[in-house]
Amino acid sequence: MNVPDELTSDEIRKKHNQTMNQSPLYAETLQKIGRNVVEFQKMEGMLKILLASIDSDTVSGEPKTLPANRHELVSKKTLGTVSRDLLEKIFSEPLEPGQLSHGEKHRLSYQFRIGGSSEFVSQIKESFDKIVKERNELIHHRLVDFKPSFDESCERLISYLDSQYGRLEPLLDFLRKEMEAMCEMQAMGVDLLKQVTEKNVQSERTCCDLPG
């Protein structure tokens, strides 16, 4: 199908009339659509950061190189997939820590996990599953069916968006809390490894200074 390079005068007039006939609630509706979409993007970003960083392995104070495609693979996951993958992992039992390899003096491995009752875990997983479905419903159906010229359509969407926002924010708070806890654990681990490394270096220097 050929697409004209320029709009005809009738098409321009039609688009102008459509704009002029928009509901007075249209601007508020757009603002709340944008608010929710941005919050969903924040959620997806935090989920991906957590999933890519939930486990780590550090040797002699220097981070080991992660598999080259680890962050890249996580970045390609959809919101639903990254949500399920993270929640399955974060509530799982940690694996046995790795052992020092030949020539390694210090090694710090961490696996960030969350404990909780089976009811709590089920509730969190169900809440994330529902909000992901709501996100897809908003993007693929609610916005497609939205009629900006009608007050009733704007009012229905505004009501839905406000209700959705109320369910979304507690989950964002949950992710923020876990990200803060993970960052604190990482900082403590790195600081501990640094102290141990410096202490051992000092001990080696002292031994070298002792008379033979």
Side-chain angles (χ1 to χ4, degrees):
M1 182 178 65
N2 294 327
V3 180
D5 294 334
E6 297 182 0
L7 294 175
T8 65
S9 58
D10 288 340
E11 289 171 332
I12 293 174
R13 190 179 301 108
K14 182 179 179 180
K15 285 185 176 292
H16 175 72
N17 291 336
Q18 287 175 343
T19 302
M20 295 300 293
N21 290 332
Q22 286 169 351
S23 164
L25 296 171
Y26 181 56
E28 180 183 355
T29 310
L30 284 185
Q31 185 271 327
K32 293 190 174 183
I33 290 170
R35 175 197 64 189
N36 285 26
V37 169
V38 168
E39 294 299 272
F40 276 118
Q41 290 301 109
K42 289 180 182 177
M43 171 180 281
E44 185 171 337
M46 285 191 284
L47 286 165
K48 289 179 176 179
I49 290 172
L50 279 167
L51 183 58
S53 309
I54 199 170
D55 296 336
S56 185
D57 199 4
T58 306
V59 176
S60 299
E62 295 297 333
K64 290 185 104 177
T65 302
L66 293 172
N69 62 348
R70 180 173 180 179
H71 287 269
E72 183 180 355
L73 289 175
V74 171
S75 70
K76 294 178 180 179
K77 291 179 181 287
T78 63
L79 177 59
T81 301
V82 74
S83 174
R84 287 191 298 271
D85 289 352
L86 174 68
L87 294 177
E88 282 299 323
K89 194 167 189 179
I90 206 169
F91 288 117
S92 67
E93 292 293 327
L95 303 174
E96 288 295 322
Q99 301 297 317
L100 283 174
S101 301
H102 178 70
E104 295 176 349
K105 294 181 179 180
H106 314 291
R107 183 171 191 160
L108 173 67
S109 298
Y110 74 78
Q111 300 172 59
F112 185 73
R113 299 292 186 269
I114 303 173
S117 66
S118 58
E119 291 79 10
F120 170 75
V121 174
S122 296
Q123 181 182 8
I124 290 292
K125 289 182 177 181
E126 183 178 353
S127 296
F128 272 95
D129 184 58
K130 286 182 177 179
I131 207 68
V132 169
K133 290 178 180 177
E134 283 197 34
R135 181 266 180 197
N136 294 335
E137 168 73 14
L138 173 65
I139 300 300
H140 300 299
H141 300 287
R142 296 271 178 169
L143 296 185
V144 173
D145 296 335
F146 173 51
K147 297 178 176 59
S149 300
F150 297 94
D151 287 352
E152 296 84 356
S153 182
C154 290
E155 289 169 352
R156 283 197 301 270
L157 188 52
I158 288 172
S159 177
Y160 175 79
L161 291 165
D162 285 341
S163 178
Q164 183 181 74
Y165 185 75
R167 292 184 291 275
L168 179 57
E169 277 302 290
L171 299 182
L172 287 169
D173 288 340
F174 168 81
L175 291 176
R176 291 188 189 104
K177 178 182 176 182
E178 301 312 325
M179 283 193 67
E180 288 175 2
M182 186 184 71
C183 289
E184 288 177 5
M185 185 185 72
Q186 289 174 335
M188 290 174 60
V190 171
D191 185 59
L192 177 61
L193 184 59
K194 181 180 178 181
Q195 292 179 36
V196 172
T197 303
E198 290 176 348
K199 182 178 180 181
N200 285 0
V201 169
Q202 184 62 38
S203 297
E204 290 176 1
R205 288 175 179 171
T206 302
C207 290
C208 290
D209 292 339
L210 292 176

